Amino acid sequence: TSRNFYGVLRVSDIMSKNAGVARILHNGATTHGMQFLQGILERVPVSYYDQLSGVGYAIMRHPLRVAEANSDGQNSAGLKIGVIGLGAGTLAAYGHPQDTIHFYEINPEVDRISRKYFTYRANSPAKIDVAIGDARLVMEAELDSTGSQKFDVLVIDAFSSDAIPMHLLTRECNEIYWRHLKPDGILAVHVSNRTIDLIPVVHALAREAHRQAIVLKSDEEAPEKGNPGAFDATWILVTSNQDFLQDAQVVKRIKEKGRVLTDEDPSVLWTDDYGSLWQVLRCS
């Protein structure tokens, strides 16, 4: 257990039903990552990030990843992935040798714990780096100093707890995201939350960026369909990449566990001047 300005972090081991010992990272009452400790499952992304989750599809079915698979990795430039929110470092498990995964993490203690108690980062063949600080401020500084990161996928995973960083969901911050993304990049936003419905907020940001938004849900699917460490999760993928949106597996997954947001769906635009949690508070 560790406490600092950002709250209390706790790492605990439990015995799972189907896969032996699982190590879990808690931030207060919220689970922020998990890893199995035995065998091949140690390298498998689990919890909110399993291969049937929205972020799993954003990475595995990205056209560059599909092309890499079809060419057996020959002449692959790899993916450049940005992640706001380090947690246990689970998304490093998706890394391939030519990939770069750039994490942003506000809490330096999360960085220490993910290195000491979890092996996702150490096991990944990708180039992994972590920028410590408020993601929005760090990304603004990067634009000023080195220019756009040109991410293929940018993952925003900072909204699972009861106190969400609203400044990461405003129109102005959205503009920063798309300056760091390639024009055909994918913005993947994790919106699983017990008390707040963030789908209308992300939908509004997608409309501001003139891009399509799709909601993909995953759950604790049977082991033969996913893996024993999958959690219920809701992701929104925002993109104009038609190769991705028309990918047969993505279309199939949308029909099974998702939907495409349209003008009939509610949207709530937050700005740096105004945003209210009352607009998106769950009634039950």
Side-chain angles (χ1 to χ4, degrees):
T1 300
S2 174
R3 180 193 298 271
N4 66 3
F5 172 81
Y6 297 102
V8 178
L9 297 170
R10 178 167 53 90
V11 177
S12 60
D13 290 349
I14 65 168
M15 181 61 71
S16 68
K17 294 180 180 179
N18 303 311
V21 177
R23 179 160 292 171
I24 302 176
L25 173 61
H26 304 271
N27 187 340
T30 304
T31 299
H32 274 223
M34 184 178 83
Q35 183 177 27
F36 292 112
L37 302 185
Q38 288 94 16
I40 192 172
L41 285 178
E42 182 186 358
R43 296 173 180 265
V44 173
V46 294
S47 65
Y48 309 107
Y49 319 101
D50 73 289
Q51 296 178 2
L52 295 178
S53 68
V55 71
Y57 274 80
I59 296 172
M60 296 179 66
R61 300 309 302 174
H62 189 285
L64 291 179
R65 181 68 93 227
V66 174
E68 175 186 334
N70 292 338
S71 64
D72 296 324
Q74 299 297 317
N75 301 317
S76 171
L79 287 176
K80 189 164 189 183
I81 302 168
V83 184
I84 295 179
L86 173 61
T90 310
L91 289 175
Y94 283 103
H96 286 195
Q98 300 301 318
D99 294 344
T100 297
I101 304 179
H102 186 53
F103 288 97
Y104 300 88
E105 175 55 51
I106 195 171
N107 187 348
E109 190 65 0
V110 172
D111 179 36
R112 184 187 73 84
I113 286 174
S114 73
R115 280 186 286 108
K116 183 174 182 179
Y117 295 103
F118 299 87
T119 62
Y120 284 122
R121 291 161 64 182
N123 289 340
S124 178
K127 178 185 176 183
I128 307 291
D129 55 72
V130 180
I132 301 297
D134 181 284
R136 178 168 174 177
L137 297 179
V138 174
M139 295 179 85
E140 286 180 323
E142 288 172 344
L143 287 171
D144 292 336
S145 60
T146 59
S148 172
Q149 291 281 0
K150 292 182 168 53
F151 291 126
D152 297 294
V153 180
L154 177 57
V155 182
I156 317 298
D157 181 30
F159 310 117
S160 298
S161 65
D162 295 331
I164 66 167
M166 293 177 64
H167 70 295
L168 296 181
L169 282 176
T170 65
R171 176 177 57 198
E172 292 80 3
C173 191
N174 190 49
E175 293 172 358
I176 296 171
Y177 295 153
W178 287 104
R179 289 179 66 186
H180 273 297
L181 276 157
K182 292 180 180 177
D184 63 350
I186 302 171
L187 181 68
V189 187
H190 185 201
V191 296
S192 303
N193 193 288
R194 292 185 296 268
T195 57
I196 299 168
D197 179 11
L198 292 174
I199 293 177
V201 179
V202 180
H203 184 207
L205 297 181
R207 294 176 65 179
E208 285 285 307
H210 305 291
R211 285 167 168 85
Q212 184 66 67
I214 60 175
V215 179
L216 288 182
K217 294 189 177 183
S218 54
D219 51 33
E220 299 177 12
E221 306 211 27
E224 65 270 15
K225 292 185 178 179
N227 64 64
F231 289 1
D232 292 349
T234 302
W235 289 82
I236 303 180
L237 308 183
V238 182
T239 189
S240 60
N241 191 319
Q242 293 302 309
D243 288 337
F244 175 79
L245 293 171
Q246 296 173 16
D247 178 273
Q249 292 192 33
V250 173
V251 171
K252 181 174 182 290
R253 188 62 177 174
I254 293 173
K255 292 179 179 178
E256 293 174 345
K257 292 282 185 177
R259 61 192 176 96
V260 177
L261 296 180
T262 68
D263 290 340
E264 281 68 46
D265 289 292
S267 64
V268 175
L269 181 64
W270 287 347
T271 70
D272 285 350
D273 292 327
Y274 179 76
S276 172
L277 289 177
W278 289 110
Q279 297 172 299
V280 293
L281 199 63
R282 295 187 189 278
C283 297
S284 59

